[in-house]
Amino acid sequence: MKISFQNIRIFLVILSLAWFHVFSVARGNVIQNNLDPQLEVITPSLCSSMDGSIIITELDSNTAYEVQYHNGSLQTLTLTTNTNGTLTIDNLPSGDYQNLMLTNLVLGDQISFGTVEVPHVPLPAVISSVVNASECFANGNIKISGLEPFTDYVVTYIFGGLQDVTLTSDFSGLITLSGLAPGFYVNLTVEDINNGCHVEFDPIEIEGDLFDAGFSIIPPSGCDSQDAVMSFSVSDSNPAVYEITYSINNQSFSEVVSTSGLEAIVVNNLEPGYYYDIAITNIETGCFDDMGYYQIPSPILNLASYFAEPSGCLATNGVITITGLDLSPLTSFEIAYTHNGMPQNLIIESTDTGQLIMTGLGTGLYDNFSISEIGNDDCHGTIEPVELIAPEMETVLNINGTTACNTTDGALMFSELNSEMEYSLSYVNGNGETGEFIQMSNSQGQLEFTNLSSGLYASFTLVEVETSCFAQFEDVLISAPELEIELDVAPASRCGESDAALYLYGLLPNASYEVGYSHDGSPYALDLESNSNGILTIMGLDSGTYGSLEVLELSSGCSKTLGSFEIESQDLVLDFEPIIPSNCAATDGEIIINDLLPNEQYQIYFSGGIQDDGEYQVYSSDSDGTLTLLGLSAGIYDGLSLVEVSSGCVGVIETVRLGCLDGFGCYKLRSFFTPNQDGENDFWGPEAESQSCDYTLRIFNRFGKQLAVLSPRDYRWDGTYEGQQMPSDDYWFTVEYVDDQGNPGFYRSHFTLKR
């Protein structure tokens, strides 16, 4: 056979590819043809079912693979991928499939997936009930339902160690774990013995007190007594024997006490001290209660005190007397205390009546008392703090205020002092600042402190340095003239707007002020700064009454009370345009109201023929802020008012006249007139359309009385009869006329007089 050069080239290419493949397999390459195998697991439908699957995709299509894994033993399968490169391992139960390996039987490539878990489907069991244990008995139980009937199950849990029990379900698939003591049952698992299917539950608590004993202490009756008592009470009313155990001073003690169940269980003749590991145990049942620790206190001396003040500022003849039934007579006691913060200690013997008398005491605060009987440290007591105060100095204080808000020429004058003695004056002013002056009184016993600013001074204390005598003054006010302030108010731009402003004039430029006022029952306090012209401005105010306006100048303490002021509410200003009806019988008149809020609702109240029943109608303005009342007949409309729903603002149009012209022949007549001498509609009469018409017009009131006769020569009526003004009412008229064609006619109608 003749081999061409072209055939040799093809053979070399195939040989090189085969060598590369062998080299790749030898290196354990798991990527073939640039594919990336993916794995998906299908869980079995039931715990005991074998319908789980492992699906592997992204393999070579239509290719045979050897599948190996361990599931209790080595399993080997030969499966072929479909046209999409998918391989499916079917009919698998739940479990771990270890060392899952695929081998391409064409190329020899291997792919390892390690261990693949087909998830476990838990048993469909539930905790149907938990019954708690009663006191001191392990009689609780847990019922588990939803299992297969008449089937053996292993139940395991942790309670004081790992526990397990085998139970058989009843005909309804129920098992009962009984004889349970109070506590938490952890890792509770139920497993079907036949197929290994199982379910695990969250920790379950069985409630029930092991023992519930009451505990109290009766302390010793006296300092040297050892008659303290521990007392226990139990809920069990049956006769029983109890063991009481406790420890004190690193020694343990035990007592056995019998009780009929009606009386308390007591341990007598105990001394004060720190008792621990206290417990009570029912010897028959073993039930116990741990009381922990308790300190039986030493007796506390029941003490009281009374005192006598020193006779003067420098005197040391104050006395504190301590009394009490527990104080032994003619016995030495140690008294520890502090005097003005300095620790002190005294050894005093009680009197034959059992009193402790502290003498030679000066002024000051005596506190932190501890009184102990020497030789008996367990017997001690205390008393409340005692403050010894010398009589106050008697002096007269005169106050001179400052001449202006920002001056420091105020003064305090003390008189009736000792002459030419040194005095200290300390204070706290209204800004919380402290100060102190030291000065000599003059030969008349007067002392003057000058150069003081205005304001409130608190805690004034005047002390005579040599004797420490003092006089105290709660509050001292150094007054100043009031601020000169002018008030101006700018109202809101429109009803309902919160843009009114308050202006305060005549203040210091660029100074800090506190402004307070009330509005609608609520107080307001503002910290503001005046501008360079000494003006304070408060913006964004609502209309209404403001009260208690007060201005405080922080730098000087000067103030001004301005009381109340009013910010008036502006009514709506209504711009309207009347559109008269096309004729007196028509109802196509309109009233157009402009300059309202766009797309706003308004309550509109009518009178004068539109609506007179006191109710209102709701209209809405359009996007231009225009509202139109339609379908109006001729007439005079009084008191038309609008209420803006969102703000409650009100606008009123006093009178709107919608006139009309009615006619006969070549004349026209208006339907109303208003003889109020305002230059508009003051007269009523025919308006000629032709000079050739003639008529005689008679006017009558509603009772048929003729009031006036009009003609082309006397064509106006002023609304009077014999010099008297006729009232607002409807009036009738008749007309006999000849029109411009010479045709006679007769016309009858009425009109309105409105004043």
Side-chain angles (χ1 to χ4, degrees), residues 59 86 125 247 364 467 475 480 496 540 573 632 640 667 705:
L59 300 173
T86 299
S247 298
T467 66
D475 295 310
V573 178
L632 304 181
L640 187 148
Y667 284 88
K705 181 178 180 62

Side-chain angles (χ1 to χ4, degrees), residues 516-525 542-549 564-566:
Y517 60 87
S518 63
H519 179 55
D520 290 340
S522 299
Y524 295 86
D542 297 321
S543 60
T545 300
Y546 290 75
S548 305
L549 177 61
S564 301
F565 64 94
E566 186 82 19

Side-chain angles (χ1 to χ4, degrees), residues 308-320:
E309 306 275 11
S311 59
C313 292
L314 297 179
T316 56
N317 56 0
V319 177
I320 298 176

Side-chain angles (χ1 to χ4, degrees), residues 383-421:
I383 60 173
E384 295 294 323
V386 176
E387 185 174 12
L388 300 182
I389 302 174
E392 283 196 15
M393 231 174 8
E394 293 186 1
T395 183
V396 176
L397 173 62
N398 292 313
I399 304 171
N400 293 324
T402 61
T403 57
C405 283
N406 298 302
T407 60
T408 56
D409 55 358
L412 299 178
M413 173 69 79
F414 296 91
S415 57
E416 300 185 12
L417 301 172
N418 292 323
S419 61
E420 298 180 349
M421 293 283 286

Side-chain angles (χ1 to χ4, degrees), residues 15 29 32 46 72 91 230 269 395 403 405 470 489 555 684 693:
L15 183 62
N29 183 17
Q32 50 182 328
L46 298 172
N91 304 320
M230 285 185 190
N269 304 321
T395 183
T403 57
C405 283
F470 64 92
V489 176
S555 61
W684 184 85
C693 291

Side-chain angles (χ1 to χ4, degrees), residues 360-372:
L361 304 179
T363 60
L365 178 64
Y366 296 78
D367 60 356
N368 299 320
F369 282 93
S370 178
I371 299 99
S372 301

